[in-house]
Amino acid sequence: MAATVPDGGRVEIVLIYQSLLGIYGDRGNAAVLAKRLAWRGFDAVVTTVEPGDRLPDSGHVYLLGGGEDAAQITAVRELRADGALHRARDRGAVVFAVCAGYQIIGNSFTVGDRDEVIEGLGLLDVTTTRGPVRAVGEILTRWRGRGGDEAMITGFENHGGYTVVGPDAEPLADVEVGVGNCADGTEGAVHGTVLGTYPHGPVLVRNPALADHVLELALGRELAPLSRPEIAELRRQRLTAARRTSR
Ligand code: GLN
């Protein structure tokens, strides 16, 4: 369990390898976490790390985004050599990974025409292989264990890999529109403070309750709700668009 961060305390968000895992705009997840912390009076810092630099051991949240297969292979090798994500998990920091990042933190994923198996970081018990069709489009899921409108997670998925959740992890959500993990009706996975999910959007921008959940896990405390009409309106629009989509 991470030490609880006091009011006004410093919170470090580590944004990993934008040069490799930056093409889907998931860096917005770092921006929204920092903003939601700042609105509540915390001293939020975003540290951006590129391959060749060591990841800091001081982070509260470590963010991985989507990327192409070749970049994904480079990223997993660099991260394994670095070792900081395992230490982060062990001290209760949050690892929040999207799409390629989700596949990277799992047991393994496959790439290329010959479906070469690449070993993942093994932080989450999920395994990814190439699916029958590329999953592309709006995705709408229902977050497990949550009720009401805030349980609905919207985003945009774009992945060829399909992911099976093993016994040491739980699906994050159940799919209402789209593909998610592997057309078994589940989306994403969670174990402790490690979370993986497919939606871009960025997903924490579109889904503030999920953003606050990540922060509460990382800070080891509950946060007061924020009322931001502009975010509620964005969310309403995205939910309507996703519900209109039939794929
Ligand atoms: N390269 C991976 C796939 O196609 C991840 C894609 C992504 O990050 N959007 O499955």
Side-chain angles (χ1 to χ4, degrees):
M1 181 72 187
T4 303
V5 177
D7 282 347
R10 184 179 188 275
V11 182
E12 184 173 9
I13 295 153
V14 182
L15 182 57
I16 299 171
Y17 301 169
Q18 283 301 288
S19 58
L20 297 172
L21 302 173
I23 60 167
Y24 289 92
D26 300 309
R27 68 174 65 84
N29 290 331
V32 81
L33 291 178
K35 193 73 192 170
R36 295 184 76 79
L37 286 164
W39 276 332
R40 292 176 167 111
F42 290 92
D43 176 18
V45 179
V46 177
T47 302
T48 304
V49 182
E50 288 300 338
D53 298 337
R54 299 297 303 269
L55 268 63
D57 279 319
S58 46
H60 296 80
V61 182
Y62 291 77
L63 295 172
L64 291 158
E68 289 167 343
D69 290 359
Q72 201 172 322
I73 298 172
T74 307
V76 76
R77 292 189 176 143
E78 292 276 333
L79 288 167
R80 183 174 306 106
D82 185 293
L85 286 183
H86 290 87
R87 293 193 296 276
R89 185 267 319 265
D90 291 347
R91 68 183 155 76
V94 172
V95 178
F96 184 82
V98 174
C99 204
Y102 175 32
Q103 298 173 2
I104 284 172
I105 64 170
N107 301 319
S108 64
F109 55 91
T110 60
V111 291
D113 296 339
R114 286 180 289 128
D115 290 331
E116 184 190 352
V117 178
I118 309 291
E119 194 188 337
L121 297 179
L123 290 165
L124 197 55
D125 184 15
V126 298
T127 302
T128 301
T129 53
R130 190 209 304 254
V133 287
R134 193 167 180 87
V136 184
E138 289 287 329
I139 179 168
L140 178 67
T141 70
R142 186 178 291 277
W143 187 3
R144 286 197 176 177
R146 296 272 162 152
D149 194 52
E150 78 164 30
M152 303 315 298
I153 297 175
T154 79
F156 189 87
E157 63 180 334
N158 184 352
H159 54 103
Y162 280 35
T163 299
V164 172
V165 180
D168 286 340
E170 292 288 325
L172 174 69
D174 296 295
V175 175
E176 298 213 344
V177 176
V179 174
N181 280 331
C182 62
D184 69 347
T186 70
E187 202 299 301
V190 189
H191 182 75
T193 56
V194 180
L195 298 88
T197 189
Y198 271 111
H200 307 289
V203 69
L204 298 184
V205 175
R206 288 201 193 187
N207 302 285
L210 186 59
D212 282 351
H213 176 66
V214 165
L215 290 175
E216 288 182 342
L217 274 178
L219 272 60
R221 56 181 282 180
E222 287 190 9
L223 294 171
L226 284 175
S227 171
R228 308 292 306 195
E230 70 279 21
I231 297 174
E233 175 56 20
L234 169 70
R235 185 163 168 74
R236 196 192 59 71
Q237 288 175 10
R238 297 324 308 165
L239 279 169
T240 305
R243 284 183 171 130
R244 258 198 243 112
T245 308
S246 61
R247 287 167 55 197

